[in-house]
Amino acid sequence: MFKKSRSHKDKSKGTPKPVSSPAEQPRAPVQEQAAPPPVAAPPPTDEDGIVFTGEMKDGRPIIKGGTIDRLVERLTFPAYADLEYLKAFMLTYRSFTSPLEFMGMLKQRYLLQPPPGSDPKTFETNVLRPVRLRVYNCLKHWIQKGFYDFVDDEQLATELQDFIKNTMATTGMENPAKQLQKMFDRQMSGQQTDRDIQFSQTPPTPIIPMNVTGSLTLMDIHPEELARQLTLIEYDLYKNIKPWECLNQSWAKKDKETRAPNILAMIQRFNQVSNWVATEVVKVEQVKQRAKVLQHVIEIAEHCKSLNNFNAMMEIISGLQNSAVFRLKQTWGTLPSKYNKSYSDMHQIMSREQNYKNARAFLHNVDPPCIPYLGVYLTDLTFIEDGNKDNLPENDYINFSKRQKVSQVISEIQQYQHTPYCLEPVQFIRDYLTTVESLDENTCYQMSLEREERNAGAAKRAGRSNTRAPPREEQEEADPDNPYGILETIPGYPFGEPDTEKNLVLVRDVNTPSPPIKGGTVVKLVERVTYDKSPDMNYMMAFLMTYKTFSSPEELLELLDKRWNMPRPKAPSAGQAARFLRERQLPIHLRVINVLKFWVDKYSVDFTESAEMREKMLENLQKWEEGNDKIRKPVEQIKKILDKATAAAEVEQVQPKLLGEDYKGGESPSVTEFDAQQLAERIVVMDQAMFSRVEGRECLCGVWEGDKAEEGCPNILRMRVHFDLMKRWVMTEVLKAPDLPSMGLVVGHFIRVAEYLYSMKAFNALVAIIHAMMHAKWMTPVWEFIPQQLVMLYGQIHALVKHPKKLREKEKSDDITTPTIPYLELYLRQLSGIHDMLPDTLQNDLINFEKRRKIFDVYSIWQSFQAHPFELDHVPAVEEYLDAVHIFSNDEIKQRSMAIPAAPPGAGRPSLEQMPNPEKKAVKEKPRSFTLKDTESQTLSSDTTLSPRALDESMTDQLKGVVATVLSEEKALLADLMAEAKKELQEDLLTGLRTYTASVHDEMIIMNGQYGLADAAQVKSAAQRIVSRKFGGGDVKEWSVLDQQGVVYGWQETIYLFVADDGNTKHLVHVAAHVDSPALGTILRMVELYARSTGSTDLAGHTVTIISPSINESAYNIAKQRSVNVMAF
């Protein structure tokens, strides 16, 4: 808070066949989910046709290599979607196959046939449908990210459209087919028409050369404008580089013009600019004029650096490193020291030492738009290609590890291709730059020898004896300490004071010649925001967002006016006047105009709410325009922006609706009546409407609730209110259900909604739903009535929500254009830390601008998300439901939750088929159109879950249901039963009651432990009690050991089992909430570790026992084969 003041054939000959691999045989159904990682499992073993590295990433095994058919199989794997593998495959597939061959293999995967003897229905549910969804996802990615393949290959485009219309649309995938066709048509339309890029800000006004007669020369063009036009030319070349150009060192092959045309164009441009730079320097005869050209070129490089155009910066450095230029000692010696230092700093940044270490570090600290030096990536790709074979030597499989490395480099190239520069092209300057004179290296060197002989000393002496002293005007002009002559004095002019520790502090521990500002006075901060040397757009944006914390609109406008009316030279020479105009007046005037333009555009409220501010600003503009007619166009732009903002301010702004805002009374329909995907999409629309309105200045509030938040950050406050409403909505829908099974259906439906939100990267709403389930302890009995697959899915999403760092990583996992709504609270905590930990002012009462910049950095992340909104269809029925849904108050939730009964005995979990399926029914009186959006359909399949086996004692078994009812509903009957029990059953009944109660309690602890709702000590104690009850009368001990070699999990971990000795056999016992195949594999490794540690290698006299209420069919069959005993709680 502030205080005011590929192409070759696969050598493995793996011909793809439309049959399922061993990994795809019908089995226990799998979860169909694109985004959430599966429950942690041991890495898979190598199979015929595919090998793995042995490592896991996000729960997915990392592929080392395989035959082409097995690689495509993994691309469309039914068990899970691996988005990282998909991206790597799509970027590099041309290195081992062709687009047409790849398209044919996807068709074969789509038409996969069941293995002989398998159940067709099970195969369709567990394998075919997920595979088809993966094929759809792959084609969607191809169209969105690699459409150039279809533009360049008419046959490929025809094959795709035929597949969409005649295969997908006729095999139950009508909606996905429509979506693919729509995407294809949209992309094709975009390729045929020029689309204007819309920027959130206006481009800086071009610096047009003045008084140019004859042909345009280098020195006629301002270095900043030259850098801008160089940048626009090079960005057009850089953005056209395609991934396939980066494969197999295509740019160095004989047919490079065909295989890597755009990389080749960048290389040719680099050489052209470098030679041009050298030519411009050496063709000047006089030393002094040559030094001016050299200075001009260095200034161009500085501006390229400010524009993050490191490729052009390296072109210029390369030109200056040309031996023809580098040897010109007299010329370099005449250069003012600051330009020598600037060149040295830039040369150090782009040094080739340690594989461009400095350049990489510098690049990773800047934000797009950016043009990196392409040579860094070509070097990386060359090292990868030279150091890794295309095929694995041990089996001749395609080396996918190599492709993974290549894809990482390509991804980095691509990340800078999506953000264009907000600059205005000046065609005649571009024409000049594309037709510059560029002499070859030998010619340049001969010309250099003519300019300065090899004997520099003799040349200097000759120069002294034959050259008269220059005129006084030239001496003044060449004097770096007095470039403009004596300046006039303006009383009260606040700018121009030297920088000292008392008025400006810079962050010096950064590797840049222009370090960011740490603190300063108001005057120095304004001086720097209009700095003539090097404009900093990020600084300007941070300044305008935060200036009200240390100044006022009136003071800022007054300071900008004074900055405009700077002191001018008193009696300048023609050269001094021209230099002052070019180097000081024009740059500062342009900075002031740009600040004002951005101010009016982004923070128009400062002018629309104050007529006095508006009039004063217009008065300043008129006065400035009279003195400098070159600013007429930007002034008109500012006025238009202001008029538009004023008109918009007069229109009443309608706030986005909150959840349940239109509730009028009565009961709302159940959430289970609506499609989970459409619910998720509507929630995203509501969240986005609020998130898009959050403004930067709201981050300055520092308090996120109460009256101060209502005034200072209303949109943040509204998002927090909506977050709380979503949590209470989830609890309300659960509590409205009439019984525990119905509640289980509701919770299961919300888990599906959360799954869609996860895949859409709508993290704020996702966390709200998961938090409602995490913190509502009264939901514990409800989890007994949720299908095991959904419980496991919840566990995966819950694990992400519990770790903010992982959540932030997921927000940034895709490219910056992927629509995302972040979890707001994480950023609010960060902002609170900045407000609380950093002071408003520094020593000497300087404004702490570093604090303001950190706050702006947080908001800039939000801005990057706000710039890429979701595009979702409206479904009226779902909208009306969410707008008018009934949501209980916290008190009502608390009261109703106290009446939730305990789970009755013998309650088995429902299968997934028993869950509501709104996708298969229409909402009453409301037509729905079910469409697949930018996320993969998330339909789960059923799984065979074995309910707990009945207890041996029939009396106890019957007693469970009676006691559960009595405990929850009939308090008086309970007393009567207890009295009767004492008389008739006595100790048998009480023992059974205690055993049952304890058993249920311990079972819940084991279940909760799986999802982090009980700690490890509680889980271990509950497990030991369960083992003791199952082996009553026997000796039960805990065995534990530190698994230093990571036999069980792959890392060091303390492993324990229970050893129950009944006198005849030692039972090695493990207790688990649910057992599937991966979990069974982990348990068997525990047993293997026990055998190693105790020397019982054959496990003679031992029986392995698993106690669990739930085990799926495949794990149960494996357990029987391994003679593992399975018992229920």
Side-chain angles (χ1 to χ4, degrees), residues 208 553 596 648 827 1009 1030 1051:
I208 306 300
L596 193 57
Y827 296 89
K1030 300 304 291 187
W1051 59 83

Side-chain angles (χ1 to χ4, degrees), residues 504-641:
L504 186 68
V505 181
L506 305 178
V507 180
R508 294 295 184 183
D509 56 342
V510 293
N511 186 22
T512 172
S514 303
I517 296 170
K518 185 173 184 179
T521 63
V522 175
V523 169
K524 278 297 176 181
L525 295 182
V526 174
E527 184 176 278
R528 286 285 170 154
V529 84
T530 56
Y531 202 40
D532 55 312
K533 299 295 190 297
S534 55
D536 186 336
M537 181 63 73
N538 280 336
Y539 171 64
M540 183 183 73
M541 291 189 293
F543 176 90
L544 288 173
M545 189 184 102
T546 64
Y547 83 87
K548 280 190 170 183
T549 64
F550 54 81
S551 182
S552 66
E554 293 80 8
E555 183 183 22
L556 176 56
L557 190 59
E558 182 181 357
L559 286 171
L560 289 176
D561 184 46
K562 290 181 177 181
R563 184 67 165 154
W564 182 278
N565 297 305
M566 69 193 77
R568 289 162 171 76
K570 284 184 176 181
S573 67
Q576 289 172 329
R579 189 182 186 92
F580 178 81
L581 179 66
R582 183 179 73 247
E583 294 184 354
R584 187 163 180 80
Q585 182 175 316
L586 278 178
I588 291 178
H589 281 183
L590 288 171
R591 306 290 184 263
V592 172
I593 284 292
N594 277 343
V595 170
L596 193 57
K597 189 191 300 182
F598 193 89
W599 188 7
V600 174
D601 188 28
K602 295 300 180 183
Y603 301 101
S604 58
V605 64
D606 293 354
F607 302 94
T608 58
E609 290 186 352
S610 171
E612 185 178 346
M613 274 291 295
R614 175 186 171 92
E615 293 304 319
K616 182 63 177 175
M617 188 264 291
L618 292 173
E619 180 185 323
N620 285 350
L621 284 176
Q622 182 177 352
K623 181 176 61 176
W624 297 350
E625 189 178 2
E626 290 171 356
N628 186 348
D629 60 0
K630 298 289 191 300
I631 68 167
R632 182 174 290 111
K633 184 177 179 180
V635 166
E636 291 175 356
Q637 291 175 335
I638 293 174
K639 290 178 179 179
K640 288 180 180 179
I641 295 170

Side-chain angles (χ1 to χ4, degrees), residues 612-858:
E612 185 178 346
M613 274 291 295
R614 175 186 171 92
E615 293 304 319
K616 182 63 177 175
M617 188 264 291
L618 292 173
E619 180 185 323
N620 285 350
L621 284 176
Q622 182 177 352
K623 181 176 61 176
W624 297 350
E625 189 178 2
E626 290 171 356
N628 186 348
D629 60 0
K630 298 289 191 300
I631 68 167
R632 182 174 290 111
K633 184 177 179 180
V635 166
E636 291 175 356
Q637 291 175 335
I638 293 174
K639 290 178 179 179
K640 288 180 180 179
I641 295 170
L642 185 58
D643 289 342
K644 184 177 179 181
T646 303
E650 296 173 355
V651 178
E652 184 178 355
Q653 300 295 314
V654 180
Q655 285 280 9
K657 284 188 178 180
L658 293 167
L659 197 67
E661 188 172 326
D662 292 345
Y663 175 65
K664 305 296 184 184
E667 278 297 321
S668 306
S670 170
V671 69
T672 58
E673 295 182 28
F674 299 90
D675 171 53
Q677 181 177 8
Q678 291 176 345
L679 282 167
E681 290 182 354
R682 178 56 189 167
I683 291 169
V684 168
V685 170
M686 298 178 78
D687 247 14
Q688 180 172 267
M690 289 176 240
F691 178 61
S692 64
R693 295 168 67 97
V694 175
E695 298 178 354
R697 289 179 177 172
E698 296 188 46
C699 301
L700 304 172
C701 185
V703 177
W704 319 117
E705 58 189 11
D707 294 339
K708 188 165 185 179
E710 185 71 43
E711 180 182 353
C713 52
N715 297 297
I716 289 177
L717 180 61
R718 195 167 182 85
M719 284 200 72
R720 299 188 84 219
V721 170
H722 193 247
F723 185 92
D724 179 69
L725 285 170
M726 289 194 61
K727 290 170 61 177
R728 289 195 281 120
W729 169 51
V730 174
M731 298 180 194
T732 299
E733 290 296 322
V734 176
L735 291 169
K736 279 168 50 180
D739 49 39
L740 288 175
S742 301
M743 291 180 176
L745 297 181
V746 173
V747 173
H749 201 59
F750 272 117
I751 293 173
R752 278 180 160 167
V753 173
E755 183 183 19
Y756 282 112
L757 291 171
Y758 178 95
S759 64
M760 296 169 71
K761 300 187 71 174
F763 296 116
N764 203 60
L766 168 73
V767 175
I769 291 177
I770 298 301
H771 274 195
M773 301 179 192
M774 285 171 59
H775 302 306
K777 303 299 183 182
W778 48 264
M779 283 194 193
T780 300
V782 179
W783 290 97
E784 293 293 305
F785 297 90
I786 302 173
Q788 188 67 40
Q789 300 95 322
L790 293 182
V791 175
M792 294 173 70
L793 176 58
Y794 166 78
Q796 296 160 12
I797 304 176
H798 169 266
L800 175 73
V801 170
K802 280 180 60 181
H803 296 87
K805 184 177 180 182
K806 291 184 178 179
L807 202 58
R808 291 286 288 268
E809 289 173 353
K810 287 296 179 183
E811 288 177 2
K812 303 175 183 178
S813 59
D814 293 322
D815 71 46
I816 60 175
T817 62
T818 302
T820 302
I821 300 178
Y823 174 36
L824 204 69
E825 201 67 28
L826 288 182
Y827 296 89
L828 295 182
R829 294 173 195 164
Q830 184 178 352
L831 287 169
S832 295
I834 297 171
H835 281 286
D836 296 343
M837 301 300 293
L838 299 178
D840 285 351
T841 58
L842 304 174
Q843 189 176 2
N844 297 320
D845 205 31
L846 298 182
I847 297 156
N848 186 350
F849 196 79
E850 186 176 31
K851 175 178 181 176
R852 277 86 175 168
R853 179 171 51 81
K854 289 181 182 293
I855 293 173
F856 170 75
D857 288 344
V858 175

Side-chain angles (χ1 to χ4, degrees), residues 304-445:
C304 287
K305 175 173 169 287
S306 298
L307 289 165
N308 298 335
N309 184 356
F310 302 110
N311 197 71
M313 188 170 94
M314 189 60 172
E315 289 168 350
I316 295 171
I317 292 173
S318 178
L320 298 181
Q321 283 287 296
N322 186 306
S323 58
V325 177
F326 188 75
R327 64 171 297 278
L328 298 173
K329 304 302 182 184
Q330 290 183 59
T331 308
W332 285 96
T334 308
L335 198 66
S337 59
K338 69 173 184 177
Y339 293 103
N340 273 301
K341 184 179 184 304
S342 176
Y343 168 74
S344 177
D345 290 338
M346 288 186 289
H347 182 266
Q348 184 64 29
I349 291 171
M350 302 307 295
S351 171
R352 292 177 171 84
E353 292 180 3
Q354 300 183 57
N355 194 17
Y356 298 101
K357 178 183 177 181
N358 293 341
R360 295 179 195 272
F362 201 90
L363 177 63
H364 293 156
N365 283 322
V366 303
D367 297 319
C370 172
I371 308 174
Y373 172 41
L374 188 63
V376 174
Y377 300 124
L378 298 184
T379 299
D380 290 343
L381 291 168
T382 300
F383 285 159
I384 294 170
E385 293 289 348
D386 291 346
N388 300 270
K389 295 183 179 297
D390 284 343
N391 295 71
L392 298 175
E394 60 267 30
N395 46 36
D396 208 32
Y397 291 164
I398 295 166
N399 184 354
F400 197 78
S401 290
K402 172 181 177 178
R403 274 72 182 189
Q404 186 73 53
K405 294 173 183 176
V406 170
S407 73
Q408 290 169 358
V409 178
I410 298 175
S411 293
E412 189 162 346
I413 293 174
Q414 285 186 322
Q415 85 175 85
Y416 301 110
Q417 293 180 311
H418 303 304
T419 308
Y421 281 87
C422 182
L423 297 171
E424 189 173 323
V426 180
Q427 192 58 47
F428 72 92
I429 299 180
R430 288 170 63 99
D431 292 342
Y432 165 74
L433 289 172
T434 54
T435 58
V436 291
E437 180 183 13
S438 179
L439 302 177
D440 64 82
E441 191 168 349
N442 289 333
T443 305
C444 279
Y445 193 79

Side-chain angles (χ1 to χ4, degrees), residues 1005-1006 1009 1014-1025 1038 1056 1058:
I1005 291 177
I1006 298 298
D1015 61 38
Q1018 289 178 312
V1019 173
K1020 185 185 289 187
S1021 298
Q1024 188 159 16
R1025 290 192 295 270
E1038 178 191 333
Y1056 70 88
F1058 294 104

Side-chain angles (χ1 to χ4, degrees), residues 1041-1059:
V1041 69
L1042 177 62
D1043 180 13
Q1044 295 182 333
Q1045 297 180 347
V1047 173
V1048 177
Y1049 294 113
W1051 59 83
Q1052 283 194 12
E1053 187 69 71
T1054 299
I1055 307 300
Y1056 70 88
L1057 290 170
F1058 294 104
V1059 183

